[in-house]
Amino acid sequence: MSKQTVYFLSSHQHRGLMAEIWANRLDLPDWEIRSAAWSQHSISETPMEIMKEIILDLPVVEPRTYNHDEVSEADLIIAMHDGELEQDDIPSDLPAQKLLRWDIRNPELRSLDETEQWALYQEICDEIAMNIKDMETYFRSDYM
């Protein structure tokens, strides 16, 4: 049986990578877990430092740029956007039948203050972790 693929997309790489790391923690042998950024591809060190506080041995994740063909082949696409600041930013060419939208704040757009960004990253790290945990039953279901 071939693996299913889930793509976590976000405008900035950090939220997608955080989701990819959390999903990898579920140890899902039937899933290929990836993330990509549709806009800004550089990554701030802050989210990775936050993740290191929680997960001492971070798995290796590969930052990717959004590629329509590759992402469209995924079985599930989860687009994370800041509902107040990025509502219209999600790529319009995503297949709607495979798309879930998560309203996750973007610390990079919410504040320029490093201390505030740190606190926001901690909050969204927890929020992403809970969303991933809520998806565990879906990832482990046999109907895929």
Side-chain angles (χ1 to χ4, degrees), residues 61-108:
V61 289
E62 178 185 333
R64 293 178 178 87
T65 302
Y66 173 74
N67 175 308
H68 166 73
D69 294 335
E70 187 176 322
V71 171
S72 293
E73 292 295 317
D75 299 284
L76 176 63
I77 303 162
I78 299 175
M80 291 173 275
H81 68 285
D82 189 318
E84 291 179 33
L85 304 174
E86 300 175 310
Q87 184 61 34
D88 298 325
D89 290 353
I90 296 173
S92 60
D93 59 355
L94 294 172
Q97 70 275 17
K98 300 178 183 182
L99 179 63
L100 287 179
R101 296 170 183 252
W102 288 355
D103 186 355
I104 305 284
R105 290 169 295 162
N106 185 341
E108 302 288 325

